[in-house]
Amino acid sequence: MLRALLSSALALAWLAQPGSAAELPIFDAHIHYSHDAWENLPPAAAIDVLRKAGVKRALVSSSGDDGTQRLAAAAPDLILPSLRPYRTRADVSTWVRDATVVGFLEDRLSRHRYVALGEFHVFGADADLPVMRRAVELARQHRLVLHAHGDAEAVERLFRQDPEARILWAHSGFTDPASVRAMLAKHSNLWCDLAFRSDPGSGGKVAPEWRALFIEFPDRFMVGTDTYTPERWLYVGEHAKWARGWLADLPAPLAERIAWKNGEALFASAITARQQ
Ligand SMILES: [Zn+2]
């Protein structure tokens, strides 16, 4: 009995240690607050979900952009707004061939401040279509990170359009560690989110190939929930807890970088500008 008490007291003491993996703040690089989430989860409640999960900062993009604006107004310290080129979810598959998207982006950019453009979906040669090209130009003009959900070919094409672009590769391209490694080695302005995948880390363990990648590129990865449907909002707290679980399998400084410091660093100048 005494031993059990003692070990649980020790466990509690460990949990309470400042900077322990259990308390890692989270920079959630992949949050959407799209039109079908607004009614059941009003902005104040959504902010509450994020804060309770220990999310220190969230990169938010929404279909349509009003969702992002509402969250940013409710918690400007927490929300980093990203401009998604989708007015509704239906734009996901058509936007890159829809010239009216350009006017939408220009209008929003003239009225609001953003730190990123995306998350948008683009694959292969579609990355060189005029709407995508214009989006890259707008991102350059407004110093926005491109949050791109696409394959390596699309990312390559985006970098060819603007070699100075900063690209956050959504879901690390849903590709294998060797392919992610090749892209990171080639492009120093490429970062990767680990949203909606459990192969890098899960169940308190980091996969060996991913561990090697995290050690080789400690500054380039960040976590994210991906609330692409309203139900996913129920998972934000669980995701943060789950991420802390596998991050604890890494050396503490590396875990801190992936949990939040890399996100803070990528958006540092935008965060400073927003605080002024
Ligand atoms: Zn997404």
Side-chain angles (χ1 to χ4, degrees), residues 30 32 61 84 119 121 147 149 170-171 226-228:
H30 206 126
H32 306 295
S61 61
R84 194 166 218 207
E119 177 206 22
H121 298 70
H147 194 189
H149 179 145
H171 318 285
D226 196 0
T227 48
Y228 62 92

Side-chain angles (χ1 to χ4, degrees), residues 35 93 103 111 138 190 261:
H35 51 88
S93 49
R111 290 197 278 139
L138 288 168
L190 181 66
K261 288 186 174 170

Side-chain angles (χ1 to χ4, degrees), residues 152-172:
E153 185 190 341
V155 171
E156 292 287 7
R157 287 171 186 264
L158 298 179
F159 274 128
R160 275 202 286 277
Q161 288 169 41
D162 180 9
E164 309 277 289
R166 292 173 301 154
I167 298 180
L168 175 58
W169 201 9
H171 318 285
S172 304

Side-chain angles (χ1 to χ4, degrees), residues 26-167:
I26 297 290
F27 183 110
D28 196 313
H30 206 126
I31 291 285
H32 306 295
Y33 184 57
S34 294
H35 51 88
D36 43 11
W38 302 343
E39 198 179 324
N40 288 326
L41 191 74
I47 295 300
D48 205 40
V49 167
L50 293 169
R51 294 212 197 273
K52 282 200 175 115
V55 171
K56 175 193 175 73
R57 208 89 69 179
L59 181 65
V60 178
S61 61
S62 312
S63 325
D65 186 56
D66 283 349
T68 299
Q69 297 309 324
R70 285 177 200 171
L71 285 197
D77 60 313
L78 176 64
I79 303 300
L80 294 178
S82 180
L83 176 55
R84 194 166 218 207
Y86 307 158
R87 293 148 295 192
T88 69
R89 200 183 298 292
D91 282 339
V92 172
S93 49
T94 51
W95 79 280
V96 85
R97 288 186 168 75
D98 180 350
T100 67
V101 167
V102 171
F104 168 72
L105 293 176
E106 289 172 345
D107 174 57
R108 300 307 287 200
L109 287 166
S110 71
R111 290 197 278 139
H112 302 289
R113 282 175 84 184
Y114 301 90
V115 307
L117 196 153
E119 177 206 22
F120 53 82
H121 298 70
V122 71
F123 296 89
D126 280 4
D128 282 325
L129 290 172
V131 174
M132 185 71 254
R133 285 183 173 278
R134 182 65 185 136
V136 171
E137 277 173 20
L138 288 168
R140 175 168 38 199
Q141 206 178 312
H142 293 266
R143 299 171 191 275
L144 307 176
V145 170
L146 290 164
H147 194 189
H149 179 145
D151 52 5
E153 185 190 341
V155 171
E156 292 287 7
R157 287 171 186 264
L158 298 179
F159 274 128
R160 275 202 286 277
Q161 288 169 41
D162 180 9
E164 309 277 289
R166 292 173 301 154
I167 298 180

